[in-house]
Amino acid sequence: MTDRGYRRLGWLWLAALALCALWLGWMLRQGLPADTDLTALLPADRQAPLVEKADRELGRGFENRFLLLLGDDERVPTTQALGRSLQRLVDEGQLAGVDWRELDLADADPHGWMGQWRYRLLTPQWQQAIDTDGGSTLVEPALRRLFSPTARPEPVADPFGLLDAWLSRLPRSPIGAADGLLTLDAEGRQWSVLIGELKGSPYDLPMQNALHSALERFQQQHPDAELLRSGLVFHAAAGARQAKREMSTIGAASLLGVLLVIGFVFRSPRVLLQLMVPLLAGSLFALTLTLGIFGRLHLLTLAFGASLIGIAVDYVLHLQCDRVIDGRQFRLRRLMPSLTLGLISSVIAYVAQALTPMPGLRQMAAFAAFGLIGAWLTVVLWLPRFTLHASPFTARLATRWWRLCQPRWRLSPWLALAGALVLATFCGLRLTSDDSLELLNPSPAALMQDEQRVQQLLDRDTGSRYFLVRAADTQSLLTRLDMLDGSLDRAIADGLQVEYQSLAGSVPTMAEQQANLARVRKLYGAPLDALVERAGLPATVADEARARLQQAPPLTLAEWLETPLGSLQQRLWLGKTDDGGVAATVVISGARDARTDATLSTLADSLPKVEYSDRVSRIGGLLGELRRHTALWVAAAMALMTLALLWRYRGRAWRVVVPPFGATLIVLTAFAVGGVPLNIFNQLGLLLILGIGLDAGIFNVEHARKPAAWLAITLSTLTSLLAFGMLAFSATPALHYLGLTCLIGLASVWALVPWVRPEAGHSTPRRESEHV
Amino acid sequence: MPFRRWWITLLLLVPLSAQAFDLDDLQRQLAATPSLAGSFEQQRELADLDSSLSSQGTFLFERGKRVVWQLEQPVEERIELTPQAITDGSGENAPPGGEQVAQLFLQLLEGDWQALESRFTLALSGDRDDWQVALTPKEAALRERIAEIHLRGSDTIDHLDMRTPDGDRLKVRLFDQHPLNDS
């Protein structure tokens, strides 16, 4: 290629990048369209928008509110101190509100707004009593109620106390009142309950800080008080604090390490800047094209795709080492075959991934492939044009380092194969996997314990297990819910240790409401006359009571959800579905074990349009599916790479594949020995190892006699080790596993390279030998 | 000590004429008979009803423990109130919302001013032989249910009169009260 042609290509690429920047800017004008749901990574026919919606609805309370349980010997003053300090946060505008005093419960009297519907709402016991003998057995209890000093009799509106009977059946909050405080009696102890309402997002940093320091201050002043926290805001705050902490320790150490290493070797700050240019260009190119193609971006794609672009650092380092050491004799052409092969082999691996049916992996593959291509083009077209300060120290260092790392003996292909087989067998026997939800959960153990205790003390469901029920319209939905409730009741009678919350328990179907009204009319016959007479009330009272039945409107689901009691069940209602029907959930709490789960699943299968969903195991399943797909893809990528390399290197191909494949096996063996289970995150780390290991293998064979290549390989593994391997010290499980993989894998790549280096005199590509 | 502060507040609230006899004295006076038994007459006047619901029976009161309300006319029923729960003759718990009413009832019979003071403004008048305490709810939420409560008595509480904002009225007369020794 002529020099002019080369320059023109360079400008063309710059123009392309500028276009990318413009396009990206236009696409991001309304923020990054990012997905966070794991299911968004799945094929469209496997996604369940309704399940997602159910999860969101059921999680809302956890998101927008927080709950504190306070146990202390001096409960009253301690709670008042905490309540007042939280109230200050409300006054400062950080929180929307906080309830902790008895009166905050402000139990708006259900008699006021439920009254009009009472004639159509009957408990099963009352239905039975009226069906058996017209309800004459209900007279005596009603009479006792009328004269009880603590009851609130309504001889005209409700002489029998229909509403009280109905209300007593609805689930009641375990939170009561004592000593003027919201109180929970549990485990033989009185806990004060403080409920905070957030103003905005639980991720709002100033609010998190204010809340955190208020609670810290409280605990310092009351070291003996036991304070349990529950709510997303605490987990979010812990995550933010941890990220900040790790950014200033791990992140700073990584950055400092890379700066020191590059600065030491090249003695020029410019090299550092030039290291960043291709990475930034690659990221820009990848982000633009991936967004352009997919329309949206998953956050996981962004995180891992960006780290995979880290492989591109290889290209930069090889080029720069060559330039610095060869000086004026540097020719890009000599490096091109290895650079190109490095790119092609990595891109092949990603294209293989792009063929999987998982849109999430496809996105990630596209992102990484575009990123590498972008970075590669920048390295090839622009980097040689930047001036470089070549310190003679670098060349001296390269030669010295090269001599220092001459191995005593070299690996033979058969020994390598035997070793690989032994390691692979061992891995096959010992390696375990883990797809649990905890991998995604960065919360500290203490906070998780708090959370569990609160749920346990409050006997509250976490909304993670539910039945999803669908129907064409509200009435058929209520009928179906009623059938499900019936099945659940029977299963519970048979010993199933669960409780459930269902809308059908609060809103009977129209048909049943009609039947109930007919029953009440029956009850308002002779039994009512008897009641009025025995209470010593004038007979007109009975007539007035009967007159009330003329106006007995039915209770609709919509009306129920509008009431204060119904709003507590709002989360169970999913509303209209895409297919024009409606849907609701029935939330399960109580025993959590395999047998219970199996019973609930069978129960769901026996009813049409009812499905059972366990969020914890569902997400675990998703992670497992992603993991198995990546594993397959890693294997396929390895096979494809080997084919491509065989085509070019034939008998020497094994020398190229030993660093990447050997490192992969060593990582897996280390996990097998250490009992570290395999998960999606350390597998994604393996991809990075493969890419960097392969580049190292290629350059090692192509430039076998060049100290510059060995220096570049050393630098590239060392910087990647600093950038990714350090993540092994992160407390976030996902990052920890990615980092651990990189730490072991990159060190192995580096250690393996010298042992498979072709010996002197061995046929290396001709152009190379004349320069050594 | 928050309790002491309460007392100071209370002392300031007490009308000048009752300086010699305050709620503290009254509580001590009532506490002198830890347990007693007697009869009651209860009359409930309902605003939307021309006549009233009258009942009578006996009661048993063990301070700090429980009140047993034994209805005899027009229906037989035994109601037991403890600080934790109300139970009726069949051993069932009271209807929802009744609990708070029961707690209040218990606090009134005991003259537990400390507990009552958190929700009501208290005003004491009269002397130790014929005193009256008027209670008015502090918070709007409670004012929707209770307009005013009057207690009257001497060594024991003799009259309880509760009015609701919608015009209902509960009048309880306690009589033939005699202390119990074996408690």
Side-chain angles (χ1 to χ4, degrees), chain A residues 202-395:
Chain A
Y203 296 96
D204 178 36
L205 275 178
M207 179 272 298
Q208 281 180 3
N209 291 338
L211 181 60
H212 179 71
S213 52
L215 294 181
E216 286 283 290
R217 230 182 1 256
F218 170 79
Q219 289 210 298
Q220 273 164 18
Q221 285 160 4
H222 304 90
D224 295 331
E226 191 176 356
L227 187 65
L228 302 178
R229 308 157 193 225
S230 160
L232 184 59
V233 58
F234 298 119
H235 297 265
R241 276 199 306 281
Q242 185 170 296
K244 212 165 139 193
R245 206 164 42 235
E246 291 186 351
M247 200 92 90
S248 58
T249 53
I250 302 178
S254 292
L255 190 65
L256 197 69
V258 172
L259 289 180
L260 279 177
V261 168
I262 300 291
F264 172 73
V265 174
F266 292 102
R267 318 246 140 175
S268 151
R270 199 172 282 167
V271 178
L272 262 175
L273 283 178
Q274 291 175 4
L275 194 70
M276 294 311 295
V277 169
L279 294 184
L280 289 177
S283 303
L284 171 67
F285 190 59
L287 193 59
T288 313
L289 288 192
T290 318
L291 261 181
I293 292 172
F294 292 91
R296 306 184 60 77
L297 207 59
H298 199 282
L299 280 183
L300 212 59
T301 307
L302 200 60
F304 286 100
S307 47
L308 286 175
I309 294 180
I311 298 175
V313 98
D314 285 355
Y315 312 145
V316 188
L317 286 171
H318 279 287
L319 188 91
Q320 299 291 50
C321 282
D322 248 35
R323 282 178 76 200
V324 167
I325 291 164
D326 288 359
R328 293 188 160 275
Q329 266 125 50
F330 167 77
R331 293 289 176 273
L332 178 65
R333 194 166 301 164
R334 277 205 310 272
L335 266 180
M336 277 308 269
S338 8
L339 282 178
T340 314
L341 201 63
L343 177 74
I344 289 175
S345 56
S346 301
V347 171
I348 282 179
Y350 296 134
V351 169
Q353 182 192 11
L355 298 176
T356 64
M358 312 281 275
L361 295 185
R362 275 215 296 269
Q363 244 188 38
M364 226 181 281
F367 192 92
F370 287 133
L372 282 188
I373 293 172
W376 188 88
L377 282 173
T378 314
V379 168
V380 169
L381 292 176
W382 275 97
L383 230 49
R385 296 169 65 174
F386 294 144
T387 48
L388 187 69
H389 164 80
S391 163
F393 171 81
T394 314

Side-chain angles (χ1 to χ4, degrees), chain A residues 102-103 107 109 140 143-144 146-151 153 155-156 164 167-168 172 534-535 537-538 541 544, chain B residues 42 44 46 49 51 53-55 69 71 74-77 79 81 86 95-96 99-102 105 119 139 145:
Chain A
E102 177 185 1
L103 289 165
D107 55 348
D109 188 2
E140 192 81 6
L143 200 56
R144 288 199 287 263
L146 282 181
F147 292 100
S148 157
T150 56
V156 173
D164 278 341
L167 289 176
S168 67
R172 285 165 72 197
R534 287 186 59 191
L537 291 167
V541 171
E544 279 174 62
Chain B
Q42 178 187 311
R44 202 185 276 274
L46 296 164
L49 210 65
S51 61
L53 292 162
S54 313
S55 57
W69 206 251
L71 263 175
V75 66
E76 294 252 336
E77 168 77 328
I79 300 165
L81 313 173
I86 333 177
E99 241 162 45
Q100 294 199 13
V101 183
F105 200 72
R119 295 195 281 181
E139 301 279 337
R145 288 192 175 187

